[in-house]
Amino acid sequence: MGWKTLDEMDFAGKTALVRVDINVPFENGQVSDFTRIDAVLPTIRDISAAGGKVVLMAHFGRPKGQPNPEMSLAQVRPALEARLGQPVAFAEDCIGGPAKKAVGAMEPGDVLLLENTRFHAGEEKNDPMMAASLAALGNVYVNDAFSAAHRAHASTEGIAKLLPSCAGRLMAAELQALDAALGNPQRPVVAVVGGAKVSTKLDLLSNLITKVDALVIGGGMANTFLAAQGKDVGKSLCEHDLAETARAIIAKAEEIGCRLVLPVDLVVAREFKAHAPHEVVTDCPPDAMILDAGPASVAQIIDIFKGSRTLIWNGPLGAFELEPFDTATNAAAKAAAELTRDGTLVSVAGGGDTVAALNRAGAAGDFTYISTAGGAFLEWMEGKVLPGVAALEA
């Protein structure tokens, strides 16, 4: 790993510019989920305890380069103060006079939140002047926003080239977990890729078959592969136009020795709704739709988990939001959690639907690491360079 951590930096008397992701959901004017705020507290506290001045940079919503009161980070400040347990000052701009004045008023250990970086068009354009204006506010740059690391923005990439830089606690934990999963994993490695469409995960599948020993395909994606093999999928969600692509992936996996695992039995129904009448079949009737993998498929997946040392998971195995079509996802997730608890499996999962599915299954807490970074996690799984990470390694 070519990047530094907080432990390798001297923060005493320094002003640390810390990129965080506190783009949190709101309901009735209140923060409704504190996950992202809580995740960055260790970095803030450690820098503050080391005698550093903590200046937080973040985006909120999509203001498209223009100030927008509805997307002001001022409304996140009370929740940040409450979770942190100390006052947080606020600057009405992230660069220029208001920012300089607010930073100038800080004492060692203080915390300051700058206004939304995306109120300036230069942020998303990675404008060198914007990066320089941010860098002028401090002495050290800390990136603790892995979820924004796939964006080459002024506050994630440009600034890292101008100041001594390191990864925050959250970023470091994420990068270590990902390295353990794909960079330098314990083998055999199995990946579970589910979700609705093959078209959204072509890069992911193409990269994974070169990196893992077994690839389990579930959800609507599996239907496309089954259809490509000449099997009837009835009225199921299926991208028939990608049959040739699916066959090419199957052939490539066979050529390089990656075991491609598709459902061997199916749970089908005539309606897409919770508790719809359903049955387990090996061939989908023409008037039915596949909504989950069957028990034999689940047994096969769990058996593969038991023979593996590392698991990477992205996407559910069925229509997990509808009972009982969450059965396969829940059973596989609980098995992975149990193997992780027993110390025989390193399990890393990520992606919005994945996190929701693992939480529903009550398995999330036992996974080795769960990434809340949607786009960045997916691009990492696709084998793409993440600008925010690459800039720390420079």
Side-chain angles (χ1 to χ4, degrees):
M1 291 263 171
W3 37 267
K4 293 181 178 177
T5 66
L6 294 187
D7 300 320
E8 296 166 79
M9 309 296 274
D10 177 15
F11 291 103
K14 304 272 181 67
T15 300
L17 300 171
V18 186
R19 181 56 162 94
V20 294
D21 182 0
I22 48 175
N23 193 18
V24 290
F26 266 74
E27 281 179 22
N28 302 319
Q30 301 288 322
V31 174
S32 57
D33 185 335
F34 297 94
T35 304
R36 286 182 165 173
I37 291 175
D38 291 343
V40 298
L41 297 182
T43 293
I44 297 171
R45 287 176 176 143
D46 284 356
I47 296 172
S48 179
K53 301 173 185 178
V54 186
V55 179
L56 303 175
M57 302 179 294
H59 70 278
F60 188 63
R62 298 175 184 270
K64 299 181 179 176
Q66 298 287 334
N68 182 336
E70 291 180 9
M71 298 178 194
S72 172
L73 278 166
Q75 58 196 322
V76 181
R77 176 186 173 194
L80 181 59
E81 278 189 329
R83 305 302 274 197
L84 184 60
Q86 76 176 80
V88 175
F90 183 73
E92 292 177 359
D93 200 348
C94 62
I95 56 174
K100 287 178 183 174
K101 184 178 179 183
V103 171
M106 296 178 77
E107 299 289 338
D110 284 355
V111 180
L112 167 70
L113 175 63
L114 301 179
E115 182 57 284
N116 195 336
T117 56
R118 291 186 184 174
F119 281 3
H120 294 269
E123 161 71 328
E124 294 186 75
K125 291 177 181 175
N126 198 9
D127 178 55
M129 293 293 288
M130 174 78 177
S133 296
L134 289 168
L137 298 173
N139 317 106
V140 182
Y141 172 67
V142 180
N143 193 338
D144 211 26
F146 178 80
S147 52
H150 59 311
R151 308 288 188 214
H153 291 172
S155 69
T156 61
E157 201 260 356
I159 189 174
K161 297 175 178 176
L162 303 176
L163 292 173
S165 302
C166 71
R169 297 292 183 217
L170 178 63
M171 173 78 96
E174 188 106 27
L175 293 176
Q176 284 160 1
L178 300 188
D179 187 58
L182 267 191
N184 188 29
Q186 298 177 49
R187 292 197 172 274
V189 183
V190 56
V192 172
V193 179
K197 295 185 175 182
V198 174
S199 54
T200 61
K201 296 190 178 179
L202 281 175
D203 289 346
L204 174 59
L205 295 171
S206 299
N207 183 52
L208 284 180
I209 57 174
T210 67
K211 299 279 182 73
V212 304
D213 302 290
L215 177 57
V216 176
I217 297 179
M221 294 175 61
N223 303 340
T224 300
F225 279 85
L226 293 172
Q229 292 179 326
K231 295 178 179 171
D232 194 347
V233 295
K235 295 182 176 179
S236 308
L237 177 67
C238 179
E239 294 174 288
H240 292 283
D241 57 324
L242 285 179
E244 199 56 48
T245 303
R247 283 192 286 270
I249 291 171
I250 292 168
K252 177 74 172 173
E254 195 170 327
E255 177 193 328
I256 61 181
C258 172
R259 180 183 175 188
L260 202 65
V261 183
L262 293 167
V264 293
D265 60 343
L266 314 159
V267 179
V268 301
R270 270 75 184 173
E271 295 177 275
F272 186 79
K273 71 174 188 179
H275 305 291
H278 55 279
E279 58 191 309
V280 177
V281 297
T282 51
D283 297 296
C284 182
D287 65 337
M289 64 184 86
I290 302 165
L291 294 182
D292 202 8
S297 301
V298 174
Q300 176 183 239
I301 292 167
I302 292 173
D303 199 46
I304 293 168
F305 286 179
K306 287 177 179 175
S308 301
R309 296 301 307 281
T310 303
L311 164 66
I312 307 157
W313 191 322
N314 176 259
L317 297 173
F320 79 97
E321 63 271 46
L322 303 176
E323 292 183 356
F325 309 112
D326 56 352
T327 301
T329 301
N330 290 350
K334 286 172 181 171
E338 188 175 337
L339 291 166
T340 305
R341 271 200 315 273
D342 292 345
T344 63
L345 189 68
V346 172
S347 52
V348 176
D353 277 358
T354 314
V355 177
L358 297 182
N359 279 329
R360 275 177 63 113
D366 288 312
F367 268 59
T368 307
Y369 194 82
I370 293 202
S371 171
T372 54
F377 182 80
L378 203 57
E379 289 197 18
W380 165 80
M381 284 183 76
E382 291 168 357
K384 294 177 180 173
V385 173
L386 304 182
V389 175
L392 294 180
E393 295 173 346

